[in-house]
Amino acid sequence: MRYPKLREIKGALKSLFSKPYTTKFPKEPHQPFYNFRGRPYYYQDKCIGCTACVEVCPARALSFKDIVENGVAKRILKINWDTCIECGQCQLNCPTKEGIKLSNEFDISTTESRENLCQIIEKELVLCEFCKCIVACKDHIIWTIKKLGPLYHSNTSLIGFAQNILGIGNFIHKKTKENLRSDRFLFLCPRCRRQSVFIS
Ligand code: SF4
Ligand code: SF4
């Protein structure tokens, strides 16, 4: 017969008089550890709609869809909580660091149907003023302008965009079917910008 070591006896005696490590959940509410990774949520005001989180999600729990209807364009971003593995990659790679954040929600077992286990947000998209293709989300362009600071003045599209946002006027131009040099002052996608600068 092997006798317990002194260290084990000491541990057993100590545990008789100390609080248990486990909590009494679900009888009593449980407070998770401060950096516990729980269910993620999008934050509409902080998200710029760049889709970096969608790119890095290993479980493909995040997705987006662009819709253009009657000249109005929007990007729809969706989290499917049923496939999320709560790895935190989306939060880690979000350029604003606040667009998507993991909560400390852990008690998420449910009998609800999968269709309801999601969060959807919408972001306004900006189209190229010449060819009408999608360029980026409005909030993403504003974020870029702020990030660049005075350097944004080197891009005519951004200057025009910032003036529109500030309501201090827009460049006056005459639209033609051709992409002309004067169209450089429109808000253009990269392809149309190249055309207006190098080809026309
Ligand atoms: S926590 Fe991980 S799995 Fe869940 S949405 Fe974010 S990146 Fe995807
Ligand atoms: S801002 Fe953050 S949360 Fe929003 S789409 Fe980009 S990476 Fe995702």
Side-chain angles (χ1 to χ4, degrees), residues 141-155 158:
I141 301 166
I142 295 169
W143 181 82
T144 306
I145 289 171
K146 285 182 182 163
K147 195 92 178 154
L148 285 173
L151 289 177
Y152 88 85
H153 289 103
S154 59
N155 182 300
L158 292 182

Side-chain angles (χ1 to χ4, degrees), residues 109-124:
S109 303
T110 178
T111 52
E112 270 201 68
S113 73
R114 284 175 171 239
E115 287 79 56
N116 297 334
L117 294 175
C118 65
Q119 185 200 9
I120 293 173
I121 60 163
E122 284 183 13
K123 303 299 297 181
E124 185 182 338

Side-chain angles (χ1 to χ4, degrees), residues 37-38 56-59 84-92 102:
R37 296 198 308 256
V56 298
C57 177
C84 171
I85 54 171
E86 289 157 12
C87 63
Q89 284 302 308
C90 49
Q91 181 178 325
L92 194 69
L102 272 65

Side-chain angles (χ1 to χ4, degrees), residues 26-60:
K27 204 172 166 193
E28 288 175 12
H30 171 69
Q31 183 59 42
F33 195 57
Y34 75 96
N35 59 357
F36 175 82
R37 296 198 308 256
R39 175 179 276 182
Y41 284 91
Y42 274 124
Y43 290 83
Q44 173 84 40
D45 297 342
K46 305 287 180 185
C47 171
I48 55 173
C50 68
T51 72
C53 52
V54 180
E55 293 293 325
V56 298
C57 177
R60 297 184 192 275

Side-chain angles (χ1 to χ4, degrees), residues 23 76 80 93 98-99 107 174 192 199:
T23 61
I76 297 169
N80 280 102
N93 290 282
E98 293 179 308
D107 182 21
K174 194 175 161 204
C192 290
I199 300 172

